Amino acid sequence: SYRSIDGRHELTLKYSVSSPAELPIGAWCLFQNERFELMSHQDVKMKHSKHYEYTLVMKGSYGLLSRFKIRNIIDGRLKFDMVAKPSEFLDLIIANLNERDGGWSKGECIDADERLISFNHTGCDDALNSVAGEFDTEFEVIGKQISLKKVEYYKENPLKLAYGKGNGLKPGVGRTNYEDGLPAVTMFVQGGSRNISYKDYGA
């Protein structure tokens, strides 16, 4: 199971069978009281005629957002601009989801001044990412409840990490690269035409 702050929650299932065992799109399962659904064809490798290896990536409720495009609730346009507070943008996304799926609700939401966001045949998942980015915050999808806020837990009792003999790490803790860029090897500094004033800085 993989969960990230951007709302993604995926369940990966791997199994081997002696004959083809395709699961249809829409197949689902319950894991830790959350429903996961197969939304695309699974990967399969045939080792030989009696050995098939399958990898299924099933998505939690956040995956449902990619099925629907955001529409203007008043006139149904797919291309429109909207000036609103975070709560109003979240209401728009939830209204779009409930119009075609049902059961969605609003959780916690930050308050901020109105901003302009443009939508152009935008999926509900991309719309939620755009709103979070515009207001410099994060979002969380639990079940069918969407919250727009900084995702913070256990601030009073944080998980302490340490290296060295006898410390180790808790199982399941990992590290991934945020970007594909290589680490800096050489740093080039380019100065300006004005010197730093010794009188002001003492150096």
Side-chain angles (χ1 to χ4, degrees), residues 128-149:
L128 187 55
N129 275 287
S130 296
V131 172
E134 184 65 35
F135 290 100
D136 192 27
T137 190
E138 299 160 349
F139 64 87
E140 185 176 43
V141 182
I142 299 178
K144 286 191 170 183
Q145 183 182 78
I146 305 175
S147 295
L148 188 64
K149 60 169 187 167

Side-chain angles (χ1 to χ4, degrees), residues 4 22 37 45 52-53 63 75 88 103 156 188 198:
S4 62
E22 290 281 334
E37 186 174 329
K45 290 181 181 177
Y52 297 81
E53 292 183 352
D75 54 23
E88 295 170 300
E156 305 302 324
F188 296 94
Y198 178 84

Side-chain angles (χ1 to χ4, degrees), residues 22 169 177:
E22 290 281 334
L169 294 171
N177 292 327

Side-chain angles (χ1 to χ4, degrees), residues 65-113:
L65 274 69
S66 62
R67 290 181 173 176
F68 311 115
K69 293 191 181 295
I70 199 89
R71 297 187 300 198
N72 187 313
I73 294 298
I74 297 171
D75 54 23
R77 283 179 297 145
L78 290 170
K79 184 177 180 180
F80 63 98
D81 298 328
M82 182 172 172
V83 177
K85 288 177 170 278
S87 181
E88 295 170 300
F89 282 114
L90 191 52
D91 287 338
L92 172 70
I93 293 168
I94 290 169
N96 270 267
L97 292 169
N98 281 327
E99 198 173 55
R100 288 162 276 179
D101 186 40
W104 292 88
S105 63
K106 181 165 70 173
E108 297 179 55
C109 186
I110 62 168
D111 186 31
D113 293 335

